Amino acid sequence: MSDTAAALLSVSGLNAWYGESHILHGVEFEVPRGEVVTLLGRNGAGKTTTLKSIMGMVARRSGSIRFDGIETISMPSDRIARLGLAFCPEERGVFASLNVHENLLLPPVVRPGGLSEAQVFELFPNLKERLSSQGTKLSGGEQQMLAIGRILRTGARLLLLDEPTEGLAPVIVQQIGRTVSRLKAEGFTILLVEQNFRFAARVADRHYVMENGRVVDMIPNAELQSNLEKVHEYLGV
């Protein structure tokens, strides 16, 4: 049976270009409501471009992107965000000239249901201790917590996280993992681009594998162990 009825996000026949370069070639996948879904694949497979296309941050795209039944392929990114999607980029986007508190308050609340500042600090106690610190004085892990905490305030129901564990110490990776699991338990839906396969296996419900701008496989997390050889082949690990 198709997950379409339960899907919060449905991507179908998605093509995307940077200038003359055709990056995505008919990408298709679904993110069921309340699940954590990963996009796996080698560097250059099109994973980040897929997230940016969903958010309307790629100028030229075609196909269908439906969020909660609403077609968004022709919408600008600000309208897409107001529907309840939020993007946490790989480079984190923390503003150097602002302190932690100012960075946290920067995005507007687009819908009811976002986390309060107190709830963000409960998730990430480190941030509360660093409120007056400049954004760039934070460690990589603290910057990642700030980037995630910032989008949790907006009221977004679908979180797009691009490489949230990249370059982080194992203890911080574990904290990010606990955070993702807790957000899922609180009803958030999460689409995750991740190179850290072990992290992805701990938090996700299903994994889509991308190669050369296409989705080539879907592996439910419950079947991951029996497909490890295939996954290692896909990822070149």
Side-chain angles (χ1 to χ4, degrees), residues 36-40 144 148 161-166 168-181 183 190-207 221 224 235:
V36 177
V37 173
T38 61
L39 296 178
L40 299 175
Q144 186 63 69
I148 295 174
L161 307 182
D162 193 3
E163 302 278 11
T165 69
E166 187 178 36
L168 302 184
V171 65
I172 304 297
V173 172
Q174 287 180 346
Q175 186 175 355
I176 299 290
R178 287 194 297 272
T179 300
V180 168
S181 297
L183 292 173
I190 299 172
L191 178 59
L192 184 69
V193 162
E194 190 50 77
Q195 292 283 0
N196 184 337
F197 171 63
R198 288 180 182 81
F199 173 82
R202 285 204 303 273
V203 300
D205 296 283
R206 66 183 72 206
H207 311 274
N221 204 51
L224 199 55
L235 303 181

